[in-house]
Amino acid sequence: MPPITVITGFLGAGKTTLVHRWLAEFARGEIAVVVNEQGDVGVDGELLADRVKTLVEITGGCVCCSTQGELVRALEKLASHSPPFVRILVETSGAASPIGVLRALAAGGGTGTLSLDGVVTVVDATRVEQLAEHDLAIEQIGCADVVVLSRADSCDAETLARARGIVACQNGAALVVGAARGQLTDPDSSTLEALLARRHTEFPKREWPTSSSHAGRPYESVSLAIEGSVDGERFADYMETELARFSGRLFRTKGILGVDGMDQRMIVQGVADLVEITFGAPWGAVAPTSRLVIVGFGLDRKALAKGFAECVAGAIPGGK
């Protein structure tokens, strides 16, 4: 079953340029691409055609709503391809909300064969402050595992730091990297595979903006941390009770946690109200830490923080 990566971002962010460069990292035929355009005539697909052997264009509607069924059918067909693809990339329309797409993929599609492996949101680094005024752009950032700041080469250091800070305020779970003309500029994640692998092992350090001009928006990013491991049963109860209170108001939930009695990292990936738990690399000589980020709206930050703190291994529930 090939992993599926969703590439989203506002109109003109540079998604197709990035996908075109990533396709060059693979042999032609290894990757399948699904491109969604709202118009009846596809343009992005034609631009990618020389790089990819299997390309599906969905035009005339948005995959977040009117053509979602067509997307799922196309992905199920691609998932059963023999030999299997290394990865399937889905490039959404710049006017699309990713929520509907992510819910369909997280539910596994009609046959349960679809496997969401991450969301990459492309943001024009030169226009982050303007984009922050659009609810759709904020929603696209809020859904991301990785945010790629395109046109980073057109920004000075101060502008780029401010862009990173604005993104961090909207989604504390996302790994943020820069790109110039489709090439990732971070030496630790210069390829797509390295970028996607990195998000399973770390939460990056944040560069918070000095301005709080976007703090009044309804979308929130709640970042929680424990310097140590959690009790597995208490954390499961926390997810099923405290977090479940916000059903219907969640964009993304992401965690990398140490679990008492386990050497491996526990990785939490949530899309809307659907949550998947897997296990990653062992902590080894690194001291376990537990990080959880919840992105949504109408959240109770104090209650979420209090409940998470009570998950710490060895703590007395309800104690002080």
Side-chain angles (χ1 to χ4, degrees), residues 228-249:
S229 298
V230 299
D231 180 282
E233 290 187 6
R234 288 182 198 161
F235 181 71
D237 288 342
Y238 173 78
M239 297 293 286
E240 293 172 2
T241 55
E242 190 61 47
L243 193 62
R245 292 198 299 117
F246 305 100
S247 176
R249 288 180 273 167

Side-chain angles (χ1 to χ4, degrees), residues 187-203:
D188 293 329
S189 47
S190 60
T191 67
L192 174 61
E193 294 299 317
L195 186 65
L196 294 175
R198 190 175 159 198
R199 79 197 193 285
H200 283 323
T201 59
E202 63 181 271
F203 274 101

Side-chain angles (χ1 to χ4, degrees), residues 59-314:
T59 59
C62 181
V63 290
C64 64
C65 47
S66 59
T67 59
Q68 188 181 112
E70 186 178 349
L71 170 67
V72 170
R73 288 189 294 274
L75 289 173
E76 287 178 335
K77 184 176 180 180
L78 294 173
S80 63
H81 186 272
S82 182
F85 295 108
V86 172
R87 184 174 297 279
I88 300 173
L89 301 181
V90 178
E91 181 187 337
T92 69
S93 161
S97 163
I99 291 293
V101 176
L102 301 185
R103 280 181 174 151
L105 297 183
T111 62
T113 59
L114 304 182
S115 173
L116 176 65
D117 188 48
V119 181
V120 179
T121 297
V122 186
V123 176
D124 185 341
T126 67
R127 296 193 297 147
V128 174
E129 292 186 335
Q130 297 95 313
L131 291 180
E133 301 303 321
H134 295 274
D135 285 351
L136 175 58
I138 296 301
E139 186 177 316
Q140 291 168 340
I141 293 171
C143 290
D145 293 298
V146 176
V147 172
V148 176
L149 292 173
S150 63
R151 302 185 177 94
D153 54 327
S154 299
C155 302
D156 57 27
E158 182 180 352
T159 301
L160 197 57
R162 187 163 59 248
R164 287 177 177 269
I166 291 171
V167 169
C169 280
Q170 304 299 339
N171 185 348
L175 175 66
V176 184
V177 297
R181 298 178 179 83
Q183 177 63 52
L184 297 174
T185 57
D186 192 322
D188 293 329
S189 47
S190 60
T191 67
L192 174 61
E193 294 299 317
L195 186 65
L196 294 175
R198 190 175 159 198
R199 79 197 193 285
H200 283 323
T201 59
E202 63 181 271
F203 274 101
K205 294 181 180 179
R206 292 295 170 201
E207 298 177 48
W208 300 99
T210 55
S211 170
S212 59
S213 60
H214 305 290
R217 303 193 68 82
Y219 308 104
E220 299 176 75
S221 178
V222 178
S223 299
L224 307 171
I226 291 173
E227 294 301 324
S229 298
V230 299
D231 180 282
E233 290 187 6
R234 288 182 198 161
F235 181 71
D237 288 342
Y238 173 78
M239 297 293 286
E240 293 172 2
T241 55
E242 190 61 47
L243 193 62
R245 292 198 299 117
F246 305 100
S247 176
R249 288 180 273 167
L250 302 174
F251 286 163
R252 293 288 277 169
T253 305
K254 177 184 176 180
I256 303 176
L257 302 97
V259 180
D260 192 37
M262 294 189 62
D263 187 41
Q264 289 180 296
R265 291 170 170 84
M266 182 169 73
I267 299 168
V268 178
Q269 290 278 11
V271 176
D273 301 330
L274 300 170
V275 177
E276 177 185 41
I277 292 179
T278 57
F279 293 93
W283 290 100
V286 178
T289 59
S290 298
R291 303 283 188 271
L292 184 70
V293 176
I294 303 158
V295 183
F297 60 94
L299 305 177
D300 186 336
R301 186 181 298 268
K302 288 184 178 179
L304 288 168
K306 180 177 182 295
F308 188 64
E310 292 179 348
C311 294
V312 66

